[in-house]
Amino acid sequence: MKIHEKLKKSYDILSKHYEFDVDTKTFNAYYERPAMIKAIGKIKNLRVLDAGCGAGYYTKWLIDNNAKEVVAIDFSKKMVEATKRKVENKAHVLELDLNAKLPFNNNYFDMIVSALTLHYVKDLNFTLSEFKRVLKENGVLIFSINHPIMTYLYFSLENYFEEILLEDLINKVPVYFYHRSFDTIFDALYNNNFFVVNMYEPKPTKDFLKMDEKNYKKLMKKPNFLIIKAIKSNVTK
């Protein structure tokens, strides 16, 4: 079985965990999500793509905060089903793969939100080229990923600059993702006409401290996730 198919199977298995447990887990609820929501800002009357929707947390948040239209996509059938249960018919929820061409018109979305997803795609340049295609001019891309420094240190990599596929466990289920250096990430953004306007290395909230003091202290010293906010521009390089 290919790695991509293994990953899909893993996230089908993990779908119940994401649907019923993750909203109260410290690293999601009190670390990544507060920082992402701050980065996203106002989305009223915007057409937004939730790229890698998981069990639908951000999909629902976008709806609740008055986005004009929300389209949510994920490559896991079970995750798509979980999102549909969460938002019913208030969003278009589709089973789609970010490693393949997207079935959306050019210049369609005002914003793309992608939470902890892009480290799973095989070819970051390709996925970002599709994001560029479906975003309007001056459209906004906001995404969170595993921090390159975290993956370099945690997995004791010999070469920080090497793009490498890694295996980790979530609830004892194997998942596979790519370590990419800052150079690789920012080159892919530059090559696809994305101008970075902000980069965030989030810190845990006080609610995190109440629930998990040990990891709170670790995250206050070294980051786990990286959030990037970029704008699509047609400025000639």
Side-chain angles (χ1 to χ4, degrees):
M1 187 184 294
K2 293 182 179 179
I3 289 294
H4 187 63
E5 293 304 315
K6 287 182 178 180
L7 186 61
K8 286 180 69 173
K9 184 177 180 180
S10 291
Y11 272 98
D12 279 345
I13 294 169
L14 287 165
S15 63
K16 289 190 182 298
H17 168 65
Y18 276 79
E19 185 174 4
F20 298 111
D21 301 330
V22 163
D23 289 353
T24 59
K25 295 296 182 182
T26 50
F27 277 79
N28 295 88
Y30 306 118
Y31 181 52
E32 189 265 351
R33 288 176 179 174
M36 272 289 281
I37 288 169
K38 183 178 180 180
I40 292 168
K42 295 180 180 179
I43 45 88
K44 186 177 181 179
N45 296 325
L46 298 184
R47 183 175 282 129
V48 186
L49 174 65
D50 184 359
C53 62
Y57 174 85
Y58 285 103
T59 308
K60 186 177 187 302
W61 185 89
L62 292 165
I63 294 165
D64 291 345
N65 284 271
N66 302 309
K68 177 181 179 180
E69 178 185 357
V70 180
V71 178
I73 63 175
D74 202 281
F75 76 152
S76 163
K77 180 180 180 181
K78 296 295 185 182
M79 290 290 198
V80 166
E81 291 171 356
T83 297
K84 287 181 177 180
R85 284 191 289 271
K86 182 165 288 189
V87 302
E88 297 176 336
N89 63 349
K90 296 176 183 177
H92 308 289
V93 187
L94 306 169
E95 184 182 341
L96 294 173
D97 191 338
L98 290 174
N99 292 293
K101 190 173 175 64
L102 299 173
F104 307 121
N105 293 334
N106 295 352
N107 308 305
Y108 186 76
F109 293 101
D110 299 293
M111 179 182 287
I112 296 174
V113 173
S114 186
L116 300 178
T117 296
L118 292 184
H119 44 247
Y120 296 118
V121 301
K122 184 176 181 180
D123 185 343
L124 184 60
N125 262 298
F126 172 81
T127 302
L128 289 179
S129 72
E130 278 297 281
F131 284 178
K132 179 181 76 168
R133 181 182 65 79
V134 302
L135 266 178
K136 295 178 181 178
E137 180 72 7
N138 295 318
V140 178
L141 167 63
I142 301 164
F143 65 94
S144 58
I145 54 173
N146 288 330
H147 198 294
I149 296 300
M150 182 278 289
T151 52
Y152 172 68
L153 294 174
Y154 184 80
F155 291 90
S156 301
L157 301 180
E158 291 185 8
N159 184 354
Y160 165 80
F161 295 103
E162 181 184 8
E163 184 171 324
I164 185 171
L165 183 68
L166 299 171
E167 179 179 332
D168 200 5
L169 294 174
I170 298 177
N171 274 20
K172 299 182 180 179
V173 178
V175 295
Y176 310 90
F177 68 94
Y178 291 90
H179 162 80
R180 296 183 173 106
S181 68
F182 275 99
D183 264 1
T184 301
I185 296 163
F186 280 82
D187 279 352
L189 288 163
Y190 177 80
N191 291 339
N192 288 287
N193 292 90
F194 282 107
F195 175 73
V196 175
V197 293
N198 267 312
M199 186 186 78
Y200 308 88
E201 293 171 303
K203 293 180 179 178
T205 65
K206 295 301 181 183
D207 288 324
F208 193 117
L209 172 61
K210 294 174 186 177
M211 297 180 68
D212 187 348
E213 183 177 357
K214 181 179 178 181
N215 278 315
Y216 176 89
K217 289 179 177 179
K218 287 182 179 179
L219 291 171
M220 290 299 289
K221 294 179 180 178
K222 56 185 178 182
N224 204 85
F225 300 138
L226 174 68
I227 296 172
I228 293 174
K229 185 172 186 176
I231 294 175
K232 173 185 169 180
S233 172
N234 280 338
V235 174
T236 303
K237 297 190 285 286

